Amino acid sequence: HRWSWYGTDPLISTSSAAYFMQGACDPTKEEGCTDENNNIDTGGAITPTPTNKQIFRKAADLNFILKSTYEQFQDVRDVGVYFANAGAGSILQFPHHQSRSNGPYNSIGCEWMSQPNPFDKSRPIASREEIKRCRPEGVEVNFTDYNVLEQDWCRKMALEPFQTHFFGPQHSGLDDGLWYISM
């Protein structure tokens, strides 16, 4: 029954997960989109990072975990892992499908990442350089430039990693009529 959740005539594959980084786009369909937007080696044209290529390569090892989780729970539409990616954020999402942007979101900023790291209080969660890759609080961001670090639910989970958190339902921003619960 969940195939209808992906819209009419969806482009979807359960053979692997999809990796998304800021500014990834389809050069054949989107004006201003170039191959550099999708350059895995650099992290793209919007917010290049030195970590993107390694995250992409290592994320492939998670496919079997995401696929089995997805197949086990029939009421789940997407299973994902969200990466800090040196402040730019990136996502590994299963199943591999084409999302449709549904408007902007407001960034919460990333100043919260200057707080002590819960796993090592001698250092902050992120460096100043990484924090600068985020947009300031209150800035409206197009969903193609999505950064998980600019979301309240991510901040809460990062600052309190030893607790279980549930957020939502909240509008996905990527697909009309879709609501997410994050945990």
Side-chain angles (χ1 to χ4, degrees):
H1 79 225
R2 63 179 156 192
W3 293 108
S4 64
W5 298 347
Y6 299 97
T8 56
D9 200 24
L11 298 172
I12 186 167
S13 171
T14 57
S15 64
S16 68
Y19 182 78
F20 296 98
M21 60 188 184
Q22 283 189 46
C25 54
D26 184 344
T28 64
K29 297 179 181 175
E30 299 174 50
E31 188 175 325
C33 179
T34 68
D35 289 339
E36 187 55 31
N37 287 76
N38 302 309
N39 187 335
I40 294 294
D41 292 344
T42 64
I46 303 298
T47 312
T49 68
T51 54
N52 194 70
K53 182 178 180 178
Q54 282 292 80
I55 292 171
F56 174 77
R57 188 179 66 76
K58 291 179 178 185
D61 293 339
L62 299 173
N63 273 319
F64 80 97
I65 295 170
L66 298 179
K67 183 174 180 142
S68 60
T69 302
Y70 176 81
E71 290 174 349
Q72 175 66 30
F73 299 101
Q74 292 299 308
D75 291 332
V76 170
R77 180 185 184 265
D78 296 313
V79 179
V81 178
Y82 297 80
F83 302 97
N85 194 9
S90 58
I91 304 166
L92 182 67
Q93 175 184 290
F94 188 92
H96 188 149
H97 67 87
Q98 186 174 20
S99 293
R100 298 172 307 278
S101 178
N102 192 34
Y105 69 90
N106 288 320
S107 171
I108 64 158
C110 288
E111 287 304 315
W112 62 268
M113 294 192 319
S114 63
Q115 295 184 38
N117 186 317
F119 297 102
D120 179 358
K121 303 236 184 247
S122 70
R123 61 185 182 92
I125 292 172
S127 69
R128 290 303 313 156
E129 181 182 358
E130 291 171 324
I131 292 169
K132 287 179 184 176
R133 287 193 177 100
C134 294
R135 291 158 199 87
E137 182 177 2
V139 170
E140 189 174 89
V141 182
N142 184 317
F143 259 100
T144 58
D145 299 332
Y146 183 81
N147 184 345
V148 64
L149 302 172
E150 298 169 347
Q151 302 295 316
D152 187 49
W153 63 266
C154 178
R155 171 177 57 188
K156 183 87 168 160
M157 289 182 185
L159 293 175
E160 299 173 353
F162 305 108
Q163 296 180 16
T164 302
H165 300 280
F166 294 90
F167 295 90
Q170 59 194 0
H171 191 261
S172 79
L174 290 176
D175 294 295
D176 274 336
L178 181 65
W179 294 80
Y180 278 111
I181 296 175
S182 301
M183 24 182 214

